[in-house]
Each structure stands twice: as structure tokens, then as C-alpha cells.
Amino acid sequence: MNQIAADATAPASAKTATAATPAAPPPGAPDATTTIDGHVLPPFPQKFGGDIQLNAAQSKPFWPARVVPPKDAPNILLILIDDEGFGAPSTFGGVIPTPELDKVAAAGLRYTNFHTTSLCSPTRAALITGRNHHSVGFGVISEQSTGFPGYNSIIGKDSATIGRILLENGYRTSWYGKDHNVPTFAASQAGPFDQWPTGMGFQHFYGFVGGDSSQWQPNLFNDTTAIYPYIGHPTWNLITAMADDAIHWVNQLNDIDPSMPFLLYYAPGATHAPHHPTPEWVEKVSAMHLFDDGWNKLRDTIFANQKKLGVIPQDAKLTPWPHDLLKNWDELTDEERKLFIRQADVYAAYLAYTDHEIGRVIQAVKDLGKLDNTLIIYINGDNGASAEGSPNGTPSEMMAFNGVTLPVKEQMKWYDVWGTDQTYNHYAVPWAWAFDTPFKWTKQIPSFFGGTRNGVVVSWPDRIKDKGGVRDQFHHVIDVVPTILEATGIPAPNMVDGIAQKPIEGVSMVYSFDQANAPTPHKTQYFEMMGVQGLYNDGWMLSAVPKRPPWELFGTAIQDPATAFTFELYDVRHDWTQNTDVAAQNPQKVKEMTDQMFGEFARYQVLPLDASVATRLVAPRPNLTAGRRVFNYGGLPMTGLPTSAAPNLLNTSYTITAEVDVPKEADGVVVKQGGRFGGYGLYFLKGKPTFTWNLLDLKRVKWQGPDALAPGKHTIVYDFKYDGLGFATLAFNNISGLGRPGSGTLSVDGKIVATQKLDRTIPLTLPVDETFDIGSATGTPVDDSDYQIPFAFTGKIDKLNITVEPPVLTEDDKKKLLEGMQAAQDAK
């Protein structure tokens, strides 16, 4: 195989030296470089071309040439915003100012017919591999993975990422912000790290692992090491911190070797919930009064702006407001309007703030003189705007994920702190629908463009000459990798680490840089998410009508998604927004496309279809605690373990036993999981043993000893008896076992000191960005009135033991649950 250029010389263009251009280093010189054909990675070792005799003085050294990309290959700045609807940024008609994105668009192209998968992890897996999300194991987010090839959240060794490909071809690579592609069972400090950015070709990672994170107290990693830079710095915010680190990385690389090209993958947590801008940005955006007229008029304004900008056709129709699902603005009370405007202001501030910080990164590249030969691909959303905050919004996303919807009146106590670290906030659903203007539906829905259409801006000053141009060819997120490969002149490898590679499934967009009206080579694209299905084919869109609105996260699943949906058909050549269903006039087309869609499903590992949603969060999957009932910890401080590496104390009976040696008036955390928005903690307050359950920031229940313990050794036991059938009912498509009551007792040295009953418990999940900590605490406190982070234990933990006793279904229980499931099916 022709892996290395035969003489390991520089490219031919470098050989024609002039007086102003030094000759290329000869083969074997310490500074010799080469390009590789790239079909097999890593390349075979280069042949030694020197001469070896008995003595060095009579021998000739020969150094392997350093691998470099093809001549003039651009730097790559790949930017991905989270949960941003097509109509949110000013660049695509929105009212939220994104001046930095506007600048990139003015220097390049706006793509108006680009699609994502409708959900976070799946889009991100497709983005970095160039393959469909099911092809690389990400049919859903990693927290919902199941044991099927299309859904196991494992990017196979047969699907090398763009990071790995460019790294082997001489690039330096980094990943910033959100990484939602680590399997939950590999997300702890125990690894393995092959599915982390540093294991997939990205040499440096600065960000968080998981679906979302506080921007004030994130679950943050520097490569694979947990770090806590926010401690002692109350104004610290990740949106700025990651820009600072990226700027440092680019400048450091340039100082070391200015000729070395880079791939910088920049994926901030914005604008996924929680919406955490700085107060200055909230004040600045609130003063603009962007949302005072409400969501209905906002849609009209965005729609008019989009036509002025030319990012939608002049004959496009604004899809109707879904009044059967969502209220009109004029139906709201004054208090509701006040809260909802605040929610939108904070969200807009978050987007504007993020755009500003991205602009700093771009400016750093410009200051180095490298912007002209930098390909910027700036994707505005990994799916449509999020409708996961309930019709009223929520001060804490964890409430919505656990089926809790708060009325506006109860939410108002968070009004003044909305967007601070006292909230894990999300706006009301109607704002999401408005930010997806002119389309229907939102995030999670793959069959309508409100869930999948995201604006993209591409800039490359040295190459793209149609400055400010608009491109409306159909494209998909799997097209980004082949675009980067064609732009750099690097081929997709056939073999990586001895493993044959799956073909790249996307197509390059480079043809469109010069050809505004060229037809797209991307003719067919399937869509599927949580059972909802769709197919684009050569200008037609087959769309399953959702049976569950995306804000209904907690409930039973459709058992027969392959046959449960009705389909609409849209001629999107002439109906840009999917406004007019023509299925009734084209029954044969519907049948043909349905058959074709299931053929695509079989081809790309989409089967079996699964319509479960939040309950899939607790589906059985590999993790470090799977099958374990007893957990023994030696007592050394240990912080930052993710949920997947911690005992699950939801919907079960359990006992926590701590053998401790305390000083006078001991303080500090013995064990804690979760934080301000839900979780539990066993800790000491001035010598008093205390156990607290934080029930989603709605209520805190506390067990506490009446007296401070005398110095010395003591045994503290918290025992909880759960009154319900637990997670086992989910096997029968029944959620009745979740969130049931229970009774807890706190004992000291064998004597009960406190007993209380919980009327309800947390049914499904603790905060996704909080961790399991022993001997100290990270993230946020379970009760701010009791302590602040890190609250290290001033005593010594000799032993910590946690045992869980999940409920066991009796045969009678199983019979009743089975009858209930069958009755529900018959009722349909």
C-alpha cells in the first residue's frame, strides 16, 4: 500500500525553490515533512533511508518525516450551538442579536436547508463521524441507550471520527464544551477513555460529559481530570472560561509552530437548559424589550425578517399556531406574561452572550493572521428549539424530567434569580415553537422541520467568493465530515487501527461554495427519533404525526411504533415549511416512500423502533453498579463520580452506614449525591449528624440528631423503607412503581434519633450534572442553608457502606400488571 510518499519529501510545489523560498529539507532531515495518502491509519512506519555501520562517525542518520496535511489545507473551526431553533438568531431572521454570527455570514454563506436528527447525542455522533446516528450507535441520547446496535451509544472502531482522521494527517485537534457521546457506563474517572474525546482523536478536551450542565458549577473536565475552577469564584461562568481556554490553545499552538493547522471543535452548553448568562447580559437584553408583545407576534416578526433576508422563499407559508396544544399570548394573565417575558429575556441573553464569546475565539484566529485560511462551519442548533420545559417553563429542568409541572404562581418566587445558579431554568414551550419559525414542532420531533431544520453559516475567505450568499440545497449533519475532508484534501480512511471502516454516509457540500443553484447530491435521508419516523426523498417529505408532544416526558410508551403513526406528505420543492399535507392526493407516493423508509431503517440499524422516552433513562445497561446490591467504600475522600458509577437510591429501600471518627463539633459531608435541584446528603453540622433529602428543590426533608456527638468513633445509619413496586413495573409499561412514599430513620450508635415519612419520592432521575461525593462535596449543596461547597468532612471516615433492597414483584403483582398492560393495548 502506498502509505507514505516514496521519498518522504515535501509536496512538489515546495521543491521549486527560489531566492525567496528555501529549498525543501532533504529526505531524512530532522525537519523533513510528508503527506500521506490517508487510506490506512495510522500510516505504516517509514523505511529507514540512512546508513548504519559499526560506528556512528561512519554512519548516516535518517529521521522519519513529520506528517503534514496537503499544501494549503485550511484550519477548521467547527462550532455547534445546542437547542437553538432556526428562527432564534438574527442571522436567520430572529430578534436575538447575534452580531458575531452575522459577521461570519457576511464573509461566507448561509445554508437554509440543513438538517439535524432532532436530538443532542445523535446529531453530535453524526457530526463527528459523517455517518447516520443509528449507524454509530446513537439512535437516542446516551442516557437512554439500550442493547441494540443502533442504540447502544458506542461509536464503533469502524467509524473513526473527524478528529482521529485529521490528527493522523498532521492536524492538532481539540474539543471544547459539551460531550454527549460518552456512554454513561464509561463516564466516570475509571474510564475506559476510548469513547472520550481524547480517545477519539481530540488531543485536548475542556468541557463536560453529559446532556447538560450548570454553567456556574459545571461537571467540568480538563482532558479526563475533573476540575473545579468555580470554587471561590462566584462570577465564574463556563461560557467565558471555555473561550479563554480555546484562545489559549490556539495561541499556544501558534507559538510552538505557526505552520501547524488545527481542528477546533467548539460545542458550548448554550443554549440548552439551564439558561445561564451573566447578569450583565440579562440586563442588556432585557432593556431591548424583544419579547414584550408575546410569542404570536414574535412569529410574525421573525417570518417577515426571514423573507427580507432571503433565508426562506418569498412564497413560503407560516405554519399555523397549534392552539389545540398551546395558548395564545392574549389569553394569558399579567403574571403569566411577566414570567414568560423573563424566561425569554434570559434565554436571549444566553444566546447573545455565547455569540459574543464565540466571536472572541474567531477574533483570536484573526489576530494570528489565520482567518483567511480557516474553514468555519457554524451550526445553529443540534436540533430545533427545546420544548422540554413544560407549557409554563420551569425553574428546574429536573422537575420536568420527573413529571412535575409548576403553575406560574409558584414559579414567581424564582423570578428575580432566573438564570442564576439558583435555577436550572427552561422557558415555556410556546417560546420554542416561536423560535422554530416558520416551521411546525420542536426538538425531539424528527418528521417536521421545527425539530430538524437548523441554520448553518460557512466561511472560508481564501476559498468562498460569494460573500453573504445563501444556499438552499438539502443537506444533513452527516455531510459535515465529507465537507471537511474535501476542503482539506484528505481522504476518508479505509482502515484504522487494522479495522475496516464503514463508508462515510454523507456527501460533501464543497460543490455549493461556487455553485449557488447546483442540485444537491443528498437525495435521500431518513429521520427517526423515539419511534417517530420520516423520510426525505428528492423534494418530498413523508412525516409521521407525533402522538406525544415533546414536553410530555414522563409517561408510558407506545408499544407498536412501527404501525401506530399516521403519515402526512409534503412537496417541499414548493412547500418550504411543510404547511400543506398532500397525502390524500398521493396515496401511492405515501406507500412508496413508507416502503423506502423502512428499507433505510433496515440499512442503517434503526430497528427495532422504540417509542419510550424518559422511562428509557432507567433501562438496564452496563454500568459500574449494574447488579450490585452492596457498596463498600474505604473512607478516603472521593468526588466527582457520575450517576452511572453511584448506587441508585430511587424507588428502592436502602441503608447507608457510616463508621466515623469525629472531633468536637464535626462538620462536613460524609456522602452526598445530587445538589441544589435534587439529591440527598449525610453530613455533620456542628457535631450533629444530619441527613437531607432535597425533593427537586420543591421541598427538603431533614433527619437530624438532637445533640452534637462527643469526639470519637460513632456509627451513623440512615435506613429507608420504600412503599412501592419500584422500577420493575416499567417492564409492564407501567409507571405506578415510581416516586412512591417511604419512611426513613436516622440512628446513632444503634439508637434511633429521628424518623420521618416522605409522602412522595423522586421518581426517575437526579440532576444529570451533579455527582456522587464522599468526604467532601462538588457542584452545589443539597441545602444552601446548611453548608457551601466543598464542605470537607473534618473527621475521618473509617468505613462507608450502602446497601439497596429493590422491591420484588410477587406473582400476583405480575399478573395485575400484565392484565393492565393488555387492557391498555386493547383500549387502543
Side-chain angles (χ1 to χ4, degrees):
M1 296 184 184
N2 182 22
Q3 268 297 284
I4 304 292
D7 58 357
T9 59
S13 58
K15 296 179 183 178
T16 57
T18 67
T21 306
D31 54 347
T33 61
T34 187
T35 57
I36 59 175
D37 72 13
H39 291 106
V40 176
L41 299 178
F44 293 121
Q46 298 173 38
K47 183 179 179 181
F48 180 72
D51 183 37
I52 299 176
Q53 300 298 326
L54 287 175
N55 303 306
Q58 291 80 45
S59 301
K60 180 183 178 182
F62 189 99
W63 287 97
R66 178 168 61 89
V67 174
V68 296
K71 187 176 185 296
D72 295 328
N75 302 300
I76 309 296
L77 179 53
L78 177 59
I79 303 167
L80 179 65
I81 303 296
D82 205 336
D83 282 9
E84 183 184 0
F86 182 85
S90 57
T91 317
F92 289 90
V95 301
I96 302 174
T98 51
E100 301 303 325
L101 179 61
D102 292 345
K103 290 178 188 176
V104 180
L109 304 169
R110 276 175 294 187
Y111 286 78
T112 65
N113 197 1
F114 183 95
H115 298 80
T116 53
T117 70
S118 81
L119 205 61
C120 301
S121 296
T123 289
R124 293 159 190 270
L127 174 66
I128 62 174
T129 65
R131 286 106 172 163
N132 285 298
H133 57 117
H134 294 87
S135 293
V136 289
F138 273 92
V140 286
I141 59 174
S142 53
E143 294 88 345
Q144 293 177 308
S145 59
T146 55
F148 299 100
Y151 298 89
N152 61 19
S153 75
I154 299 171
I155 296 177
K157 303 299 183 185
D158 56 0
S159 301
T161 72
I162 188 62
R164 178 67 190 281
I165 296 170
L166 294 195
L167 177 65
E168 295 287 0
N169 281 274
Y171 276 74
R172 297 300 177 261
T173 59
S174 62
W175 180 328
Y176 282 87
K178 176 173 173 176
D179 176 10
H180 207 182
N181 294 117
V182 176
T184 56
F185 44 84
S188 80
Q189 290 85 333
F193 298 114
D194 60 309
Q195 295 280 306
W196 286 56
T198 54
M200 292 197 295
F202 296 87
Q203 293 175 294
H204 176 51
F205 172 53
Y206 182 92
F208 61 91
V209 173
D212 57 44
S213 182
S214 166
Q215 301 301 295
W216 301 110
Q217 297 98 5
N219 177 29
L220 186 63
F221 288 88
N222 183 24
D223 299 330
T224 59
T225 300
I227 57 174
Y228 311 99
Y230 53 83
I231 293 179
H233 300 93
T235 61
W236 186 96
N237 189 292
L238 180 56
I239 295 298
T240 293
M242 64 181 279
D244 289 344
D245 197 278
I247 292 168
H248 171 77
W249 184 79
V250 168
N251 278 281
Q252 177 178 264
L253 194 65
N254 184 73
D255 286 347
I256 294 170
D257 183 354
S259 70
M260 193 173 291
F262 62 80
L263 162 65
L264 199 168
Y265 174 34
Y266 198 85
T271 55
H272 196 292
H275 306 148
H276 279 169
T278 62
E280 296 80 8
W281 280 96
V282 176
E283 182 178 352
K284 183 184 300 187
V285 170
S286 296
M288 298 178 184
H289 298 283
L290 301 174
F291 306 104
D292 288 6
D293 291 333
W295 40 64
N296 299 99
K297 289 187 178 178
L298 177 63
R299 293 183 84 227
D300 294 336
T301 298
I302 295 172
F303 187 62
N305 290 344
Q306 289 170 334
K307 288 197 172 182
K308 288 177 186 176
L309 288 171
V311 295
I312 63 173
Q314 294 304 306
D315 62 353
K317 301 291 191 299
L318 178 61
T319 53
W321 182 254
H323 193 232
D324 56 327
L325 296 172
L326 303 171
K327 289 182 179 180
N328 287 318
W329 187 256
D330 60 13
E331 296 173 310
L332 304 177
T333 66
D334 289 344
E335 185 176 55
E336 288 173 329
R337 292 179 185 178
K338 180 180 179 180
L339 176 65
F340 295 154
I341 290 171
R342 180 68 170 176
Q343 293 173 355
D345 280 346
V346 170
Y347 173 79
Y350 195 29
L351 177 54
Y353 170 39
T354 302
D355 178 72
H356 172 78
E357 295 299 318
I358 289 171
R360 290 179 55 224
V361 177
I362 296 172
Q363 184 64 43
V365 176
K366 183 177 182 180
D367 290 344
L368 294 174
K370 296 189 172 185
L371 190 60
D372 286 350
N373 195 33
T374 296
L375 172 62
I376 300 176
I377 302 176
Y378 193 155
I379 306 171
N380 290 271
D382 55 359
N383 40 244
S386 172
E388 295 164 352
S390 91
N392 290 335
T394 179
S396 172
E397 184 185 57
M398 289 304 106
M399 295 180 191
F401 286 165
N402 283 285
V404 176
T405 300
L406 283 189
V408 166
K409 192 170 192 64
E410 292 186 37
Q411 293 191 47
M412 288 302 291
K413 67 181 180 181
W414 285 279
Y415 180 88
D416 291 331
V417 295
W418 204 271
T420 72
D421 68 348
Q422 300 300 306
T423 61
Y424 213 89
N425 50 309
H426 199 307
Y427 55 49
V429 169
W431 290 125
W433 207 286
F435 291 140
D436 283 333
T437 299
F439 307 111
K440 302 175 187 175
W441 290 103
T442 63
K443 174 184 178 180
Q444 293 189 34
I445 304 302
S447 51
F448 288 88
F449 296 154
T452 65
R453 182 73 62 85
N454 290 95
V456 172
V457 168
V458 177
S459 170
W460 185 6
D462 275 354
R463 175 67 174 77
I464 294 174
K465 304 308 178 186
D466 184 14
K467 313 297 186 187
V470 175
R471 299 293 185 266
D472 61 7
Q473 293 95 339
F474 181 95
H475 279 287
H476 188 268
V477 67
I478 61 175
D479 298 339
V480 171
V481 164
T483 300
I484 293 172
L485 293 179
E486 182 175 352
T488 58
I490 293 171
N494 300 322
M495 191 84 69
V496 176
D497 294 331
I499 297 173
Q501 297 293 289
K502 285 185 176 180
I504 297 291
E505 292 163 2
V507 301
S508 172
M509 299 160 60
V510 169
Y511 75 93
S512 65
F513 292 177
D514 302 317
Q515 304 176 63
N517 300 311
T520 179
H522 199 134
K523 300 296 186 183
T524 302
Q525 179 62 49
Y526 81 86
F527 295 89
E528 189 278 338
M529 191 61 61
M530 292 180 282
V532 183
Q533 307 141 46
L535 180 75
Y536 170 86
N537 187 62
D538 203 17
W540 293 85
M541 185 71 198
L542 181 71
S543 303
V545 179
K547 288 181 169 291
R548 171 195 62 84
W551 50 93
E552 291 182 5
L553 299 169
F554 189 80
T556 57
I558 299 168
Q559 295 292 287
D560 54 348
T563 56
F565 293 93
T566 57
F567 285 89
E568 295 177 350
L569 180 67
Y570 298 93
D571 180 356
V572 293
R573 298 167 300 179
H574 308 107
D575 179 12
W576 187 258
T577 63
Q578 294 177 288
N579 185 70
T580 305
D581 173 27
V582 295
Q585 299 95 298
N586 298 275
Q588 185 60 32
K589 188 73 173 176
V590 171
K591 183 180 185 309
E592 290 173 0
M593 289 189 67
T594 302
D595 291 343
Q596 183 182 11
M597 180 178 69
F598 276 91
E600 296 291 288
F601 289 172
R603 180 181 180 186
Y604 294 115
Q605 300 187 163
V606 181
L607 302 177
L609 297 176
D610 186 344
S612 58
V613 188
T615 52
R616 211 187 313 188
L617 291 168
V618 293
R621 62 179 58 88
N623 63 58
L624 299 181
T625 65
R628 294 172 62 186
R629 298 289 181 262
V630 179
F631 302 84
N632 293 309
Y633 302 98
L636 293 176
M638 179 173 62
T639 60
L641 267 69
T643 297
S644 60
N648 188 353
L649 305 190
L650 301 184
N651 305 303
T652 185
S653 298
Y654 58 89
T655 303
I656 300 174
T657 303
E659 296 181 13
V660 296
D661 192 342
V662 300
K664 183 179 180 180
E665 294 194 340
D667 276 318
V669 168
V670 175
V671 61
K672 159 259 188 194
Q673 185 179 5
R676 184 173 292 137
F677 306 104
Y680 65 87
L682 173 63
Y683 47 92
F684 278 80
L685 293 175
K686 295 189 176 183
K688 295 181 180 181
T690 306
F691 189 90
T692 298
W693 255 113
N694 175 349
L695 302 176
L696 302 176
D697 202 24
L698 296 170
K699 181 181 181 181
R700 287 168 174 80
V701 182
K702 201 176 302 293
W703 294 254
Q704 188 174 64
D707 303 308
L709 299 189
K713 293 184 179 294
H714 298 276
T715 300
I716 315 299
V717 177
Y718 178 79
D719 184 70
F720 185 79
K721 300 300 182 188
Y722 182 67
D723 183 17
L725 296 179
F727 288 120
T729 65
L730 295 178
F732 299 88
N733 201 26
N734 186 303
I735 61 174
S736 65
L738 310 186
R740 305 296 298 171
S743 296
T745 60
L746 180 67
S747 302
V748 177
D749 298 330
K751 179 182 177 181
I752 294 176
V753 296
T755 300
Q756 286 203 66
K757 183 178 177 65
L758 295 180
D759 295 330
R760 296 288 295 174
T761 54
I762 296 175
L764 203 58
T765 183
L766 296 177
V768 295
D769 68 330
E770 294 278 5
T771 58
F772 180 74
D773 302 325
I774 296 173
S776 186
T778 61
T780 60
V782 292
D783 192 334
D784 286 271
S785 65
D786 281 352
Y787 67 91
Q788 293 300 307
I789 301 300
F791 204 47
F793 184 46
T794 58
K796 180 178 182 294
I797 302 171
D798 293 327
K799 287 183 182 179
L800 178 66
N801 172 273
I802 300 177
T803 61
V804 295
E805 301 175 29
V808 177
L809 299 185
T810 66
E811 291 304 315
D812 190 48
D813 292 331
K814 295 176 184 178
K815 180 180 178 182
K816 290 178 180 178
L817 288 165
L818 184 60
E819 289 172 350
M821 183 170 67
Q822 291 173 339
Q825 284 294 103
D826 292 343
K828 294 178 181 179

